[in-house]
């Protein structure tokens, strides 16, 4: 636990953000931290409600995630998928045998009328988590990717097409009428909110859906909390996922400088990796240069501590 005053809001997508969130839960008391995950990747598949980012974060916080694959559970088996394939079913999106139980339980509870935030709380409690992980909204928002092959849903682009088609833009279907989770707005307006940490997730398809919910960007801008992002781009590459490829396709340089420019006025500080040290001079927001690769629990906790310490000094 770290000696840190006030509340902290963490905004995250899946894999990269989940690592920092894992570090944050070691540093902060349960009542101090709210982790908000993107749900723009959510979709209905095989009749089940799938929330990939919520699950990646939930499994990572519970130390149940598969670190190599980045998604799903460690020690997973695939018998249901193999049997489904034999029956001629869709097997492009792989649901492990144990992971299936999460989607079954979520789907049952949603069909009973429970909101996604409540179901997420139930799943997290059942897995032994004490810190709060919530979806950005209880309403449906679907990230749509404009590509050279036409508009694709996020999972069609990401998993089925393996991020191969060049992207030209994104759209968050349903965002105009979606209501940000009330808890998210309460925390953004809380006088004791000290820091907002934007985790090293994809800025376009993981963080932007959260920021694009009605009222969120404005609330963030009018909050006195220090907003600190960790660059997901290190040495011109994304640690995982298509962020760098997307930047090139969107005619942006794949650099931490472009990340700073993308977030713009929203940021009070940006953490960039030590390999990008020379870029610090080109970044107009306050910058800290640190090792940001999170390969084990120690490095996750260390980066979380640094992000909180940076926020405290910016506040
Ligand atoms: N990602 C893949 O690349 N292939 C898969 O088959 C796949 C299945 C899957 C099942 C459950 C789940 O929670 C996540 C899954 N993911 C898979 C990851 C997921 O599509 C992405 O990590 C996120 O949507 C991007 O943040």
């Amino acid at each position: 636990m770290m000696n840190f005053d006030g509340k902290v809001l963490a905004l995250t997508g899946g894999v990269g953000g989940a690592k920092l969130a894992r570090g944050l839960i070691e540093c902060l008391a349960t009542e101090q931290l709210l982790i908000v995950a993107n749900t723009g990747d959510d979709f209905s598949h095989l009749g089940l409600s799938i929330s990939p980012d919520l699950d990646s974060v939930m499994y990572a916080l519970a130390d149940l995630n598969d670190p190599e694959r980045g998604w799903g559970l460690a020690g997973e088996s695939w018998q249901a998928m193999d049997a489904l394939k034999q029956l001629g079913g869709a097997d492009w999106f792989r649901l492990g045998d144990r992971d299936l139980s999460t989607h079954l339980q979520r789907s049952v509870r949603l069909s009973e009328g429970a909101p996604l935030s409540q179901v997420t709380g139930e799943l997290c409690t059942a897995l032994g988590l004490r810190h709060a992980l919530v979806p950005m909204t209880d309403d449906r928002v679907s990230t749509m990717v404009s590509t050279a092959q036409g508009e694709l849903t996020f999972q069609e682009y990401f998993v089925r097409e393996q991020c191969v088609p060049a992207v030209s833009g994104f759209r968050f279907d349903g965002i105009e009428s979606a209501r940000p989770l009330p808890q998210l707005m309460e925390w953004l307006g809380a006088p004791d909110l000290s820091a907002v940490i934007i985790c090293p997730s994809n800025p376009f398809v993981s963080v932007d859906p959260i920021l694009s919910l009605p009222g969120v960007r404005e609330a963030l801008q009018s909050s006195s909390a220090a907003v600190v992002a960790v660059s997901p781009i290190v040495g011109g590459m994304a640690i995982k996922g298509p962020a760098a490829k997307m930047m090139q396709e969107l005619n942006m340089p794949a650099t931490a400088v472009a990340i700073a420019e993308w977030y713009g006025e929203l940021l009070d500080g940006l953490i960039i990796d030590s390999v990008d040290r020379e870029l610090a001079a080109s970044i107009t927001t306050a910058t800290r240069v640190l090792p940001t690769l999170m390969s084990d629990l120690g490095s996750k906790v260390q980066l979380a501590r640094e992000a909180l310490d940076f926020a405290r000094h910016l506040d």
Side-chain angles (χ1 to χ4, degrees), residues 41 52-53 55 71 92-95 99 103 154-155 158-159:
D41 299 8
D53 284 356
D55 288 350
W71 50 269
W92 61 271
F93 193 82
R94 295 178 59 72
L95 300 173
D99 184 37
H103 312 301
F154 184 77
Q155 299 302 339
F158 191 88
V159 178

Side-chain angles (χ1 to χ4, degrees), residues 61-287:
L61 296 181
D63 290 333
L64 294 170
N65 61 308
D66 185 294
E68 272 89 56
R69 227 177 21 251
W71 50 269
L73 290 158
E76 188 59 281
S77 59
W78 306 93
Q79 295 200 35
M81 275 292 111
D82 292 344
L84 182 69
K85 187 178 181 183
Q86 193 179 0
L87 296 176
D91 68 339
W92 61 271
F93 193 82
R94 295 178 59 72
L95 300 173
D97 296 332
R98 288 174 60 232
D99 184 37
L100 262 175
S101 62
T102 300
H103 312 301
L104 287 167
Q105 181 63 8
R106 176 186 295 114
S107 305
V108 167
R109 293 292 291 123
L110 290 174
S111 72
E112 288 170 355
L116 182 61
S117 51
Q118 186 185 328
V119 179
T120 305
E122 291 169 2
L123 294 173
C124 288
T125 302
L127 294 184
L129 298 182
R130 291 169 55 246
H131 289 81
L133 165 66
V134 295
M136 64 184 198
T137 176
D138 277 329
D139 299 323
R140 186 197 61 83
V141 174
S142 303
T143 297
M144 305 297 295
V145 187
S146 299
T147 78
Q149 296 179 11
E151 193 174 60
L152 301 174
T153 65
F154 184 77
Q155 299 302 339
E156 286 170 346
Y157 163 76
F158 191 88
V159 178
R160 200 189 66 199
E161 303 300 325
Q162 300 282 296
C163 308
V164 171
V167 304
S168 52
F170 309 98
R171 183 172 71 80
F172 309 126
D173 192 58
I175 199 90
E176 299 83 8
S177 54
R179 290 152 301 179
L181 202 74
Q183 218 178 336
L184 166 59
M185 297 312 282
E186 276 163 32
W187 276 59
L188 281 172
D192 58 345
L193 182 72
S194 297
V196 178
I197 308 290
I198 301 182
C199 293
S201 295
N202 187 305
F204 314 109
V205 292
S206 298
V207 181
D208 208 34
I210 307 176
L211 300 178
S212 300
L213 284 163
V216 168
R217 196 178 285 273
E218 295 76 7
L220 206 50
Q221 264 156 351
S222 55
S223 159
S224 60
V227 181
V228 169
V230 178
S231 173
I233 299 292
V234 172
M237 292 189 301
I239 301 305
K240 194 151 176 86
K245 179 176 181 281
M246 286 175 172
M247 290 173 94
Q248 283 150 8
E249 290 163 358
L250 296 168
N251 297 317
M252 296 164 78
T255 63
V257 181
I259 295 292
E261 285 166 5
W262 170 259
Y263 285 124
E265 304 248 293
L266 211 59
L267 288 191
D268 295 305
L270 180 68
I271 294 177
I272 67 171
D273 193 85
S274 308
V275 302
D276 291 322
R277 180 174 303 279
E278 76 282 3
L279 298 180
S282 313
I283 297 175
T284 49
T285 188
T287 304

